[in-house]
């Protein structure tokens, strides 16, 4: 590999419209621009992402984001080597908007088109930021995803397990709603939890006895609802200090589930005898300090490096799509005008399908 590649990446699979330019050569990769236009306010009144609203907003914003990404990178379409676009999994209207935009640009500029799996974008990010060698262990934990993967190659992933219902970020968001805390729930529950006692409430750790790495977070939220109602009945309201205890207990339960399942995932990963063992996390939930500390501890038990890319690259963005496109291109991957948008697209085609389909769409 001796070629410099400059890729435009386009992402529109959920509620962020994003475009980015990434340049890569033998020496590594550089993010030349990374534009993300969120839609939080458009969906705020509905308690979740409304697919039709999301698709329309993507269609309106994609051109603007692409133009900004090219401008900020100081390049024009002529300087690009290819266009990479999220072709799934995600909310189909949004994915279609991105794929159509990318096809138009590719035809217009005579550039190759590379369809990228959104989850591969997340999973390959530690190679963009830290040139991490394969194989590494990965936990994706966000509002829409939750899975353990072994990344073996640019298009070679083994899924060890994932949530069978809610994603952990979704559980944080629902918990915040139950406790009348602001959205997004993760940061507000974390901040309340700081003054709470994590042992105050014995909340369940679902699927702990089941072998493997599958997880479940919806029962936890139901248990929290019951605990909250009991407190309200006893106290005639929800005292602030007890609310903090509920947050701390909930957060401890999520951290516990993720770290116990990480140990199981490690056991499978270490069986591959990786030369440089590494555990990388991505997704908004990885921003949680208590969860991050718990995962870092597990990583240290296995003498593995622990990597958490900066938050703007952990959450949905197009730099990861441009980079995954570069990895796929180097691996010989190309697509034509028959590239389709896919609502479901498991990274590991051999793993059994996950059941959940949360508020942010299919978890693939
Ligand atoms: O990766 P992300 O930005 O987007 C998608 O899910 O697509 O993740 C957002 C999720 C939200 O559910 C949010 O509540 C959660 O990540 N989150 C957190 C924290 N910050 C964000 N969860 C726990 N602790 C946090 N500090
Ligand atoms: Zn994502």
């Amino acid at each position: 590999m001796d070629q410099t590649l400059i890729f435009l990446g386009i992402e529109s699979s959920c509620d962020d419209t994003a475009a980015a330019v990434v340049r890569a050569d033998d020496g590594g990769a550089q993010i030349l621009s990374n534009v993300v236009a969120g839609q939080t306010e458009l969906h705020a009144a509905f308690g979740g992402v409304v697919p039709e609203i999301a698709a329309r907003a993507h269609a309106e914003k994609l051109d603007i984001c692409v133009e900004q990404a090219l401008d900020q990178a100081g390049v024009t379409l002529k300087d690009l080597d290819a266009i990479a676009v999220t072709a799934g999994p995600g909310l189909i209207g949004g994915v279609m908007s991105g794929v159509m935009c990318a096809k138009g640009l590719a035809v217009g500029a005579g550039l190759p088109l590379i369809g990228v799996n959104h989850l591969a974008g997340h999973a390959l990010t530690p190679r963009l930021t830290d040139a991490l060698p394969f194989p590494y262990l990965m936990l994706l934990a966000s509002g829409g995803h939750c899975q353990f993967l072994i990344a073996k190659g640019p298009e070679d992933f083994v899924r060890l397990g994932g949530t069978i219902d809610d994603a952990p970020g979704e559980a944080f968001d629902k918990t915040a709603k139950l406790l009348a805390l602001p959205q997004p729930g993760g940061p507000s529950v974390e901040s309340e939890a700081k003054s709470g006692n994590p042992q105050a409430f014995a909340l369940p750790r679902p699927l702990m006895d089941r072998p493997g790495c599958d997880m479940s977070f919806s029962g936890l939220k139901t248990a929290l609802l019951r605990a909250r109602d009991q407190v309200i009945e006893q106290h005639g309201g929800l005292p602030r200090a007890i609310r903090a205890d509920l947050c701390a207990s909930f957060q401890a339960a999520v951290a516990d589930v993720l770290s116990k399942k990480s140990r199981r995932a490690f056991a499978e990963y270490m069986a591959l005898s990786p030369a440089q063992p590494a555990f990388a996390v991505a997704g908004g939930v990885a921003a949680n300090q208590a969860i991050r500390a718990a995962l870092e501890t597990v990583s240290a038990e296995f003498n593995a490096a622990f990597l958490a890319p900066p938050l703007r690259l952990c959450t949905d963005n197009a730099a990861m799509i441009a980079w995954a496109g570069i990895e796929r291109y180097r691996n010989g991957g190309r697509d034509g005008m028959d590239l389709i948008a896919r609502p479901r697209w498991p990274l590991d085609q051999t793993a059994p399908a996950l059941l959940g389909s949360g508020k942010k769409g299919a978890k693939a």
Side-chain angles (χ1 to χ4, degrees), residues 207-208 210-213 260-268:
L207 300 193
M208 233 37 147
R210 196 199 273 193
C213 301
K260 291 233 166 73
K261 295 286 175 166
S262 295
R263 276 191 195 98
R264 299 236 184 108
F266 253 112
E268 291 190 50

Side-chain angles (χ1 to χ4, degrees), residues 347-364:
L347 262 186
D348 178 351
Q349 308 282 346
T350 59
L354 288 173
L355 303 172
S357 178
K359 74 180 166 80
K360 291 196 168 180
K363 292 186 186 76

Side-chain angles (χ1 to χ4, degrees), residues 142-144 169-170 172-173 184-187 190 283-285 287-288 314-316 360:
S142 72
E170 199 173 349
F172 268 95
D173 294 339
E190 180 175 21
V285 177
N288 185 291
C314 270
T315 55
D316 287 354
K360 291 196 168 180

